[in-house]
Amino acid sequence: MKRNATPSPSQPPPSDVDDQSPNITEEVDHAMNEFYNGNPTKALSLVKDILSRHPTSALAHNTLSYLLDKSLDSTATPDHEKLKNAKSSVNSSKRAVELCLISLYFWYLYVIALVKLAYNDANAGFEAVIQACDTSLSIENPTVH
């Protein structure tokens, strides 16, 4: 039984035209290639640039969250930066979810970001994680992308 689940809409919000642009996808792919080629700072910079031009791109927000999340696993990231990055990751993934409420993939990364925030901030707790899980499980017609 779901606890305090907030029903999510069964229909998507108005279309995010930015994400339908092949240029956004190509730019995000380029940023991710930089990340996988060992250039995380350049990847972050590229995604932030995409968001400066396309602030309503759920894909770009989700990618930023992912890159920030990966920095939490890096031993090169100082501890004082990890909490900041965890909070930023949650904010970006939350924005992606707000822009595309029926995407299970975006909800999944939002839950992961919330879990990592809870591990890095004793004050965060796990209630937000539970609420996000409950809400995502209540989506009537979810997408997987």
Side-chain angles (χ1 to χ4, degrees), residues 85-99:
N85 287 353
K87 289 179 179 180
S88 294
S89 178
V90 167
N91 290 337
S92 291
S93 60
K94 181 179 182 181
R95 185 66 180 132
V97 164
E98 291 168 349
L99 291 166

Side-chain angles (χ1 to χ4, degrees), residues 82-83 86-87 114-126:
K82 287 186 179 188
L83 179 58
K87 289 179 179 180
L114 288 168
V115 167
K116 290 203 176 181
L117 177 61
Y119 280 125
N120 285 284
D121 182 359
N123 296 321
F126 286 92

